[in-house]
Amino acid sequence: MSQPRKKQRGNTVTSGSQTILKSLLPSSQSEECREDGLYVEGAILRITMKNFLTYDYCVVTPGPNLNMIVGANGTGKSSIVCAICLGLAGKTAVLGRVDKVGLYVKRGCHKGHIEIELYKRSGNVVIFREIHVENNQSLWMLNGRQCSQKVVEEEVKALRIQVSNLCQFLPQEKVGEFAKMSKIELLEATEKSVGPPEMYEYHCELKNFRTKEQDLENVVKEKASFLEKAKQRHERNKLDVNRYYEKKRHLDVIELLEKKKPWVEYETTRKELECVKKERDETKKALSTLKQTQTPMLRKIQLIEEQLKPTEAQMKSKAAAIKEASLKCKQKQDQLDRKNKEIDDIEQMLRLKQTEEQDNQKRIANARRAIEDLKTELAKVSDQPDVTPQINAVNAELRRIQEERAKIEGEKADLRRERDNICAESRMLEKKLQNMNNMMNAKEEKLCGRHRDTHAAVSWLRQNKNHFHGNVHEPMMLVINVKDHRFAKYVENHISFHDLRAFVFQRKDDMEKFMTEVRDKMNLKVNAISAPEESCSKKPPSRNIESLRRFGFFSYLREMFDAPEEVMSYLCHQYKVHDVPVGNEQTKAMIRTVIEEPYLKVLYTKEERYTIKRSFYSNKISTSNSAVHPSQYLTITVDAEEKRQLEQQIKACESKLQDIDERFKALQKEASGLDRRDNELLAEKKRLAELKGKKRQLEQKISTKQDSLRQMERNVIDLKKVEEETKQKITAVNSQKVTIVTAFMEQMKLRAKLTMEKVYLVSETVGLTAERAKLENDCREVVCSLKHTEQKCSFLEQKKIRLTEQCKGMLKRAKSICRMQPDESFPEDLCKAFSKLPDTLDEVDTMLNEERARAECFTGLSENIVEEYDLREQEIKRLEKELEEKTTGLNTYRQNILEAKERWLNPLKQLVEQINGKFSEFFSSMQCAGEVDLHSENEGMDPVNERRVFDIVVRTACKKTTSQYFFITPKLLQNLNYTKEMTILCVYNGPEMLPPNQWNEKTFIEHRLQIK
């Protein structure tokens, strides 16, 4: 039996009710490994802990069978469980507690270690693990030699110890997880725990076989599918091969046609050359005949031209004289036209003077009448009074109105500036309020993502808030506003999420009405709470924060956030936020001193939360700590007071704008009245000014009219004098016309005489000219025919040369295409083949085009198709052979799977039958039958069943064929049945405990007997 040393002041790990650590070694192995009825191979002989959780130093020596670890909560039972797991290279996740191994070192120590000694026939195994807090690392040693964790894991695995198997190692925190294991997980865990060593290997082998079988099935399916597709492609390619041979036949015909075509072209060109030679000879004969006909015609034309030369010279002289006389006649005619135009201009000038004088007389009469009318109107105006005083009064009134208008415009400008400033301020305030609302919307989006029912209830509440009598607040996470986002994690870690998403009501009847609507009618899962009837929001803390600043505390939790009155009252009442201080790194460093301070139950350092409990009996302190998780919902901070002030400022701005608008309208109305009065005065001033200036205007008009009249009278024209001057000018022009007409008549007579002489000369040359024209016409026809014949002869000569060259080239090309030597005769086989083809070039071209068109219909065909066809045929035969081999292999593999399944299934059935038998036996001993419903509630059972279960555990664990068991419980019933194979480990802890070296079991028993 082992007892821990006296526990130092610090944290204690509390344990729940009973926890069973089943055998760390399967029973199948225990039968093989048990030696002299004591330990089985892999059993724990010793557990040594130093600076580990609640222990400074402790050595535990368990027995070979059932080990009962008994002790009150918080004494260190769970510490032994953690030591077993971590000492055997188990993961921290197996324990379900903290995730960092460094947190298992006793608080205040920098390192701790675990040492476990395991029984092994060839020599015990000692595993040593030293845990360092600073870097969260471990130092491993196996049998005194430093090694890696992997080496320890392999050694533990070799001893068939499975701390990660919940069927072997079941900590209290993993009971719920054990109940949630699936059927397959339970089966595998059972195989590992109680089955023979090869059973789980057979199971894994069977799963691997099944995986490989699926792979083979997939390979066979792929091969079959590929073979089927290859056959389909092969069939399609067979048609392509047939089309290829058909195309080849057409290409052979095309090749033969292309060989014959140059021979047909050569023959056609040769025949054309013979025709050209014959036509050229005939054209040469016609050219000689035309040259003999042309010579006498040319001699006759030359004789007639010599006779016509003297007469033509006289005709040219007469024509020049006639042209000169006509030019002089035209000059005299132009002079006469100019003199007629001059007379017309003189007469037009006279008419203009007469018209001008008539207009001048009319203007004089009109001016005299206008002067008389103006004098009459002036006499009337002179009788009216002076209007100058009235004009002065109107001007004074206009100046007064202008001053008032300027004053109003100044006031309106001031109002506009004031309005613009208020609008700018209002926009800035609205933007700030919008930013705050956006942050609140971000909170709502997080709530919607985490709990849609609560978000739906928030929407319903906003639409129906008027149905409640008291204050109703939305979920706390929406209304709580942390003043500094760095402190959000403390508030969020302190308040449970169920309360963070809870609605807060001032009145209970409102809460009941709300729950009826959203929970019962809308079927939404929401939380609601009622604030305390007496407000706790202003409740003072137990101690002033100033008295705690020496420990690094700087604020209570309540001062870190704002919330509505009812919400804050509930949090103070339920979570004591007014009495939970928050500290910094200094607090963490002084934590040993801090936890001894009275009135502190919960506190926060920078990264941890501490819960402090004091014993009612001994007044001793026990603490637990946990990491402070980052905030998820409250990091978005909105200052509620600032938001309220912004809303009030916006309302004040709106009120000011409304007042400015009303004042602006009044000024606008006053300005409109002044504008109307100003227009009236301007009209009156205009009327008076017109009345005052009318007399002066009339006098000026009369004076102007009189000056104009005198000017017009001075400008009167003497028409008689003008008419006399006009007659004299016309007479002088007519005298000049008579002289010009006389000269014009003389030139006309000379031109008529010369014309008659030219006519006599022309009549003398008409006969000779006609004869010459006839001869020239005949000669031109002969010359044209001669020229045409010469051109034709030259063309035919050139064509003959060109065709000769073509014939030579075509013959050479035809022989080259047929692969013949220049002096080789035409082959007989080629002649026979050509005889079956058309003989004309058009027919050859037509047949060639038809064959090419047919060959072009066979697109995408080449010799590779035939090669691929042959290769694919060989590939299909190979695939058929491979598919047959794979199918045979799959059938063989399936037979092997059946054999492996029999090796695994038969022992498994026997194991299941044994388990079922034991299960029925255990429940029969408890007088129970039927289903077993596993759940994770940590409730104790009634004393009768607890006693029966204890008896079953003792009988099972204390048999010779069983492994080592650990049974951990904080309490036991009285008068239980015990056996000598059991080992009882009593764990005591407290300030009055003796050190292990002073413990005397006999003295303790005697003292206990004396008490009885």
Side-chain angles (χ1 to χ4, degrees), residues 132-182:
H132 295 266
V133 177
E134 183 178 359
N135 54 9
N136 201 44
Q137 298 292 325
S138 297
L139 173 67
W140 292 90
M141 296 182 69
L142 185 64
N143 294 328
R145 293 183 179 179
Q146 187 173 344
C147 63
S148 64
Q149 182 176 348
K150 186 175 181 181
V151 174
V152 176
E153 289 174 352
E154 291 175 352
E155 183 66 29
V156 172
K157 184 178 179 182
L159 294 172
R160 302 205 61 229
I161 299 174
Q162 305 166 11
V163 291
S164 61
N165 187 345
L166 296 182
C167 289
Q168 278 199 15
F169 187 86
L170 182 60
Q172 176 186 347
E173 290 80 2
K174 291 292 182 175
V175 172
E177 184 176 335
F178 179 74
K180 295 176 183 178
M181 288 176 66
S182 65

Side-chain angles (χ1 to χ4, degrees), residues 414-529:
D414 293 339
L415 288 176
R416 287 193 191 97
R417 286 193 295 272
E418 185 178 357
R419 192 179 192 282
D420 292 340
N421 293 335
I422 294 173
C423 288
E425 182 182 1
S426 179
R427 284 193 296 271
M428 181 185 67
L429 294 173
E430 287 176 354
K431 186 175 181 180
K432 289 183 178 179
L433 184 60
Q434 181 64 34
N435 292 337
M436 289 185 175
N437 291 332
N438 291 339
M439 296 173 73
M440 293 299 296
N441 292 337
K443 279 188 176 183
E444 290 184 26
E445 290 176 2
K446 286 191 174 183
L447 175 62
C448 181
R450 181 69 183 271
H451 207 279
R452 291 184 178 275
D453 286 2
T454 303
H455 186 267
V458 170
S459 302
W460 181 89
L461 176 62
R462 290 175 179 173
Q463 297 174 2
N464 301 275
K465 206 163 188 177
N466 56 343
H467 294 169
F468 302 98
H469 301 291
N471 293 334
V472 182
H473 300 287
E474 294 178 0
M476 291 187 192
M477 63 180 293
L478 297 181
V479 299
I480 289 177
N481 180 56
V482 181
K483 296 177 182 179
D484 190 332
H485 66 89
R486 295 175 299 170
F487 304 145
K489 60 182 180 180
Y490 304 120
V491 180
E492 191 167 321
N493 276 267
H494 195 70
I495 305 172
S496 69
F497 178 71
H498 292 291
D499 279 352
L500 281 176
R501 66 181 182 87
F503 294 81
V504 182
F505 293 82
Q506 185 183 22
R507 296 164 56 109
K508 289 185 178 181
D509 55 344
D510 285 343
M511 183 179 72
E512 293 172 358
K513 183 189 297 183
F514 174 80
M515 296 303 285
T516 301
E517 290 293 334
V518 300
R519 185 182 63 187
D520 300 339
K521 294 183 180 180
M522 298 174 64
N523 198 26
L524 298 177
K525 296 178 181 179
V526 297
N527 290 347
I529 56 178

